[in-house]
Amino acid sequence: MSAQAISENGAKSEFWQGVRLSMPVVVAAAPFGLLFGAIAVDNGFSVLEAFLMSAMVFGGASQMVGIELFGQHVAPWLIVLSIFAVNFRHVLYSAGIGRRIAHWPLMQQAVGYFILTDPQFAVAERKAEAGETVGFAWYMGLGLPVYVFWVIESALGAVFGKLIPDTHALGIDFLLPIYFLGLVMSFRKRPLWLPVVVASAAASIIAYKTVGSPWHVSIGAVAGVLLVVILPPHHSGVEARP
């Protein structure tokens, strides 16, 4: 077997490994994709517009915020500012994941940044910390199903929105927070993990009660970052990894 064939088989294996890891995210995000499509139509969007917004923006929380503000006829600059506040954490994600995918060609990096999501970052970071290389095929296997299903579910929600029951009554909307909690717990062996989680959670709750949504997301993230800057890992009594 040639080296090229071995390389192709390895890439296929990595891709399907990523696909298997993506399935919990696909299932957990499904109610939100359907809900977004339904809300988009309720706020005056056509099915095509809802579909294109999911395909081009691919940001669940920011899409929800944007749709709600569009429906209230808010000034465009305020909509942009609110979406920026929700997505500010992706600036931090990009800075972190950039060192893991720096060996990719520039075009592949651009695609990787586009499909970057919260779970995508967490799972890729965990793989890199285990000493494994974050390959493009594996990364696409992890991210592409989430993207494709999100776009499809948004379109289905837009078409059949009136038939979708209340996700709060069914409890389905709690799947994604549970998944995120599992991702947070997977980093518990890191230095300063508990202080960072507590500081971020406290700042986010206070911001939600005082400033309101969507600013609490970014304020919580910034609080955690500031704590790490003020209190370096060696102060926690745990030796930091190189």
Side-chain angles (χ1 to χ4, degrees):
M1 184 178 291
S2 66
Q4 182 179 357
I6 295 175
S7 177
E8 289 178 356
N9 288 336
K12 288 180 181 178
S13 176
E14 287 190 356
F15 177 82
W16 288 112
Q17 181 187 12
V19 170
R20 288 193 294 271
L21 291 173
S22 75
M23 287 300 102
V25 186
V26 170
V27 174
F32 296 92
L34 295 170
L35 186 61
F36 165 75
I39 293 175
V41 171
D42 284 343
N43 282 275
F45 276 51
S46 67
V47 174
L48 179 60
E49 288 169 340
F51 171 84
L52 289 176
M53 186 175 187
S54 283
M56 298 176 70
V57 177
F58 186 46
S62 58
Q63 286 179 227
M64 291 288 192
V65 170
I67 285 295
E68 292 290 346
L69 294 178
F70 279 131
Q72 298 173 18
H73 304 289
V74 177
W77 68 267
L78 187 56
I79 296 176
V80 172
L81 188 62
S82 298
I83 292 177
F84 175 80
V86 173
N87 280 344
F88 178 76
R89 69 193 188 281
H90 284 273
V91 176
L92 307 176
Y93 291 163
S94 298
I97 203 70
R99 56 188 173 149
R100 311 299 191 188
I101 64 175
H103 59 285
W104 296 0
L106 189 60
M107 186 57 67
Q108 290 184 358
Q109 290 188 42
V111 174
Y113 286 127
F114 175 73
I115 64 172
L116 180 61
T117 59
D118 303 81
Q120 184 92 3
F121 169 78
V123 177
E125 186 70 13
R126 189 169 57 192
K127 181 180 178 70
E129 284 193 343
E132 302 177 33
T133 301
V134 178
F136 181 71
W138 176 86
Y139 188 95
M140 291 302 294
L142 178 62
L144 200 56
V146 179
Y147 172 77
V148 171
F149 277 97
W150 174 261
V151 174
I152 292 173
E153 289 154 3
S154 298
L156 291 175
V159 174
F160 303 107
K162 295 185 183 299
L163 302 178
I164 299 175
D166 182 10
T167 56
H168 293 283
L170 296 175
I172 304 176
D173 56 329
F174 201 62
L175 290 174
L176 205 56
I178 290 176
Y179 178 79
F180 284 141
L181 180 60
L183 290 178
V184 171
M185 292 301 295
S186 69
F187 290 98
R188 63 187 179 278
K189 293 183 179 180
R190 277 191 170 191
L192 288 179
W193 174 83
L194 184 58
V196 168
V197 170
V198 171
S200 297
S204 183
I205 293 171
I206 293 171
Y208 183 78
K209 295 293 185 180
T210 55
V211 182
S213 178
W215 300 98
H216 68 291
V217 177
S218 296
I219 291 174
V222 170
V225 172
L226 289 177
L227 180 65
V228 174
V229 172
I230 296 170
L231 187 62
H234 64 268
H235 286 178
S236 65
V238 180
E239 184 178 353
R241 297 178 185 175

